[in-house]
Amino acid sequence: MKSKLSAAQRASLFLLSLCVTLVVGEVAARIWVAVRWPAERIEQLTTHAAVRGRFASHPYLPFVLNPAFAGHNALGFRGADLAPQKPEGVRRVACVGASTTYGLDVTAEEANPAQLGTLLGREHGRWEVINAGVPGWVSSESLVDLELRVLPLQPDVVVILQGRNEVFPQAYHGFEPDYTHFRRAGFSFSVSNYAHKELFGWSRLVMLACTLRGERFGWSERAEHPLYGGIVWENRPTTADAARNLQDPARLAPLRSNLESMIQLCRARGILVVVCTMAFRPDKLAMDELEPDPEVAPILGQQVERNNELAREVAERLGAQLVETARLVERPELFRDDCHLTPEGHQLFAQMVYEQIAALLERR
């Protein structure tokens, strides 16, 4: 006759089985992760690095470009290497903006800053290009970058393109002129999901349980993305609220102030300033910062045009040159989405800016 297991024995057997299952599961998870996921993904999930893909942390900005990323130079700009000190006999053109300046989905050479430099070099001596476009930035961040990182490189010409990303802080609830209602103050992606990453370093099984094909147990994939991790998502408005918020004229004040400051900083140093208007096609809208709703596209299109009108007014009042690059909307085939251009679109953008600069250089 078989003896029955005591409660203590059953508990011990259960715990042993559980431990064996977890060990086998951990070994299987480690093999699966090593085979299926690239080293970059594993590093992202297990370290608190100050770099993430094309982005790097910065003490005074939410993020900057990673100098070690392909196509970036040692100074943290997209494009060819630059010396901190401008060489004798060389002039520099700096292009300040966000992803439309950086050139998403095109090569560094195809992006409009590089093409502008090529055009200038053909007829007007030696030129170097500072592509100071950083995806996701708004005008306040471009202003900080201009003073801290761009002006020390002694540009002779600064081209400013703002207006599309501005619509998000302009639309979000809880408006603050410094945009802290939109971008979380003190944001650093180096501390995102901190506790989870500590656990993932010990257990790949826990890693898969939290991250495989979704977000579970408090893990946030959004927090891992430098562009989106610092956004104050709880202030994201509905379409109706966004339309109402954008009617408040006070929400234009930060863009006006930031454009004025950028222009004044440059002109005080004798730098030629060119302000471009934003080409925006609502019919090709693609974004995550606002709720998916077909009615949001025309609302944002109207706001981009308000921002363009503001840029025109500020440029005229402060004596900056204006280039109506917004006219590129007449060529829908030039757009990959609502604002990002094809290589041909970048070429035409650069040509429009070049013609304005060349005319001024010839008069000097």
Side-chain angles (χ1 to χ4, degrees), residues 1 23 37 46 52 106 125-126 142 185 203 221 247 256 258 263 285 287 289 292 296 300 359:
M1 184 174 177
V23 169
W37 280 356
T46 56
R52 182 139 329 138
V106 298
R126 295 172 59 198
S142 291
S203 172
E221 197 69 41
Q247 295 304 310
R256 178 180 290 106
N258 294 334
I263 294 169
L285 185 66
M287 63 177 64
E289 293 88 344
V296 79
L300 297 187

Side-chain angles (χ1 to χ4, degrees), residues 169-189:
Q170 289 171 338
Y172 267 44
H173 289 315
F175 179 77
E176 295 289 346
D178 60 3
Y179 288 169
T180 51
H181 69 292
F182 171 72
R183 187 87 74 193
R184 204 173 302 281
F187 166 72
S188 172
F189 59 75

Side-chain angles (χ1 to χ4, degrees), residues 281 284 327-335 344 348:
R281 289 197 61 92
K284 295 190 174 186
R327 293 175 182 165
L328 291 172
V329 298
E330 298 168 4
R331 299 276 304 277
E333 74 278 8
L334 300 177
F335 289 78
E344 183 184 1
L348 290 175

Side-chain angles (χ1 to χ4, degrees), residues 225-278:
H225 199 300
L227 268 66
Y228 302 125
I231 291 178
V232 186
W233 292 99
E234 56 266 33
N235 286 341
R236 186 170 78 161
T238 64
T239 298
D241 287 338
R244 188 161 44 252
N245 291 342
L246 291 172
Q247 295 304 310
D248 180 4
R251 294 176 179 246
L252 292 170
L255 176 59
R256 178 180 290 106
S257 176
N258 294 334
L259 284 175
E260 290 172 344
S261 295
M262 283 190 266
I263 294 169
Q264 290 164 344
L265 282 169
C266 294
R267 287 180 60 83
R269 293 164 172 77
I271 299 170
L272 174 65
V273 184
V274 177
V275 176
C276 299
T277 51
M278 178 63 64

Side-chain angles (χ1 to χ4, degrees), residues 13 33 82 106 193 226 249 273 281:
L13 185 59
V33 168
L82 293 166
V106 298
N193 293 301
V273 184
R281 289 197 61 92

Side-chain angles (χ1 to χ4, degrees), residues 291-357:
E291 65 176 11
D293 185 339
E295 294 183 6
V296 79
I299 293 170
L300 297 187
Q302 293 168 9
Q303 186 64 24
V304 170
E305 183 51 33
R306 291 189 196 102
N307 292 340
N308 283 339
E309 282 295 332
L310 186 152
R312 295 178 185 110
E313 182 272 321
V314 171
E316 180 179 8
R317 174 162 47 82
L318 296 183
Q321 303 301 309
L322 181 73
V323 180
E324 287 287 0
T325 42
R327 293 175 182 165
L328 291 172
V329 298
E330 298 168 4
R331 299 276 304 277
E333 74 278 8
L334 300 177
F335 289 78
R336 293 186 183 275
D337 56 25
D338 58 279
C339 63
H340 298 108
L341 299 170
T342 64
E344 183 184 1
H346 278 276
Q347 183 179 24
L348 290 175
F349 185 105
Q351 183 67 39
M352 294 173 73
V353 177
Y354 165 74
E355 290 172 358
Q356 184 80 7
I357 295 174

